[in-house]
Amino acid sequence: MLSRVADAIYWVGRYLERAENVARFVDVNLNLMLDLAHTATEQWKPLVQTSGDAEAFAKRYGEATQENVIHFLTFDAGNPNSILSCVTAARDNARSVREIISSEMWEQTNTWFHMVRDAAGGNEALGALNEFYVRVKMASHLFNGIADSTMSHGEAAHFLRLGRMLERADKTTRILDVKYFILLPEVAEVGSAFDSIQWSALLKSASANEMYRKRYGQLTPAKIVRFLLLDREFPRAVRYCVLEAESCLRAISGSAAGSYRNAAEQRLGRIAAELNYAQIEEVIAAGLHEYLDNLELVLNSASAAVFDTFFSLRPIQVSDSTHANGNA
């Protein structure tokens, strides 16, 4: 497969997953504000922190009000991580590989783009934001279902899923990090009703509330962290995403389990091994923020290795014989 094609499909997966995650963050926060009206102002800044664009936001908007944050994360074409920008970029990439993906996948991407663009151009979405974010999430689920049902499960599909899994793993670590250090700065509030509402909101932002309740029942910070970080069956847990991404790489390269053929496989293999044997008590005792911060760094390193291995343009190697022929 051409590097250009693999790159485009990989980024279709990443951008659409990113758009869905942003929609989920904002939607859950809107619901949280209904319960915590007295702290409404303080609860919007962490969403910008989650996206990793706090500096760009501060320069352009200043105060993190509800209106500013929602516009920045949802409809701001100047923010490369807004829903509008992500869906636009995904559509551009999908258009460039229409001969590889199914027509149904292209139609869904195109429909999704027009829905978001029309909402950005009018005021109707602002009057029904919850409904808008639900539509974004459902559009993502529909795309994933269509891709799974209509695209051959070959190399292109593995690149699409690889992008989706790496993006999802990164976003789950950011969700956990925001809660642990930003949403609850006062130790006295640990275990309070306010604390429980925030942990519940965190689970909802990862669409994990129901599955967590079925597994553990009562909300316990350590168990929530274990579920979102180390569970190997829940599809938004970091460990699950890393294992799936590693599986996609092996399917692409054909390397056997326990071995690697490129830097991307090596780095993802290390992350998977660390998560396979991690103990949540040791993670929390050593500092959850530090652990998550390092995890985000190694995930970024693995993403860079994927680019270097499969997508980057390599210089043309000029052999001595070619020089000799050219000089002849």
Side-chain angles (χ1 to χ4, degrees), residues 12-315:
V12 168
R14 289 206 71 145
Y15 281 130
L16 293 184
E17 180 68 26
R18 192 173 300 176
E20 182 196 339
N21 275 281
V22 173
R24 193 179 307 110
F25 293 162
V26 181
D27 188 33
V28 168
N29 216 51
L30 282 170
N31 291 324
L32 188 62
M33 291 304 95
L34 296 177
D35 297 326
L36 305 171
H38 64 291
T39 56
T41 301
E42 291 79 10
Q43 297 306 316
W44 286 101
K45 189 174 181 179
L47 292 194
V48 182
Q49 300 276 4
T50 302
S51 71
D53 296 318
E55 185 176 346
F57 175 85
K59 288 181 180 178
R60 298 177 56 192
Y61 290 85
E63 187 179 1
T65 63
Q66 174 175 327
E67 181 180 5
N68 288 344
V69 172
I70 286 178
H71 184 267
F72 178 72
L73 294 178
T74 308
F75 300 124
D76 190 344
N79 172 17
N81 294 317
S82 70
I83 293 175
L84 176 62
S85 296
C86 289
V87 175
T88 302
R91 177 176 179 262
D92 291 343
N93 280 283
R95 189 208 304 273
S96 71
V97 292
R98 286 186 64 176
E99 75 280 9
I100 302 297
I101 64 176
S102 67
S103 59
E104 290 88 350
M105 291 168 66
W106 162 249
E107 290 168 5
Q108 173 57 19
T109 307
N110 201 36
T111 301
W112 187 352
F113 162 75
H114 284 289
M115 184 267 285
V116 175
R117 189 192 62 175
D118 293 346
N123 295 320
E124 293 183 8
L126 295 177
L129 282 171
N130 290 106
E131 180 181 342
F132 171 77
Y133 293 121
V134 168
R135 291 174 65 192
V136 171
K137 288 183 285 184
M138 293 308 296
S140 176
H141 296 167
L142 183 56
F143 176 86
N144 292 335
I146 290 173
D148 187 60
S149 303
T150 65
M151 186 178 188
S152 296
H153 290 196
E155 199 172 45
H158 291 308
F159 275 112
L160 180 73
R161 185 168 176 77
L162 173 63
R164 189 194 311 159
M165 289 297 108
L166 288 178
E167 183 69 29
R168 189 178 292 177
D170 176 77
K171 287 296 176 289
T172 300
T173 61
R174 291 176 185 275
I175 290 172
L176 278 169
D177 206 14
V178 166
K179 164 57 188 170
Y180 201 79
F181 266 84
I182 299 176
L183 286 178
L184 190 60
E186 300 296 333
V187 176
E189 291 179 320
V190 173
S192 66
F194 181 54
D195 187 30
S196 297
I197 290 173
Q198 288 192 332
W199 279 115
S200 180
L202 181 145
L203 285 169
K204 289 177 181 176
S205 69
S207 294
N209 193 43
E210 290 184 26
M211 291 301 105
Y212 172 85
R213 295 282 190 179
K214 291 178 187 297
R215 175 73 65 84
Y216 295 107
Q218 189 176 6
L219 293 176
T220 305
K223 291 179 179 177
I224 293 174
V225 174
R226 179 188 291 123
F227 187 67
L228 291 179
L229 190 61
L230 302 180
D231 197 273
R232 65 175 303 147
E233 297 178 350
F234 181 64
R236 294 193 175 278
V238 177
R239 183 183 179 192
Y240 176 93
C241 295
V242 170
L243 292 175
E244 287 296 306
E246 187 186 22
S247 175
C248 290
L249 281 179
R250 295 193 184 286
I252 293 169
S253 68
S255 61
S259 64
Y260 64 87
R261 293 187 178 182
N262 53 63
E265 289 181 2
Q266 182 191 32
R267 293 179 191 180
L268 267 182
R270 282 183 176 177
I271 300 172
E274 162 61 27
L275 293 173
N276 283 339
Y277 296 101
Q279 294 292 322
I280 202 64
E281 294 79 9
E282 295 176 0
V283 169
I284 293 177
L288 180 60
H289 171 69
E290 289 75 12
Y291 185 88
L292 293 172
D293 198 36
N294 181 66
L295 189 53
E296 290 169 16
L297 290 176
V298 293
L299 283 170
N300 288 338
S301 175
S303 297
V306 168
F307 175 81
D308 292 337
T309 302
F310 298 106
F311 310 142
S312 63
L313 293 176
R314 294 178 175 80

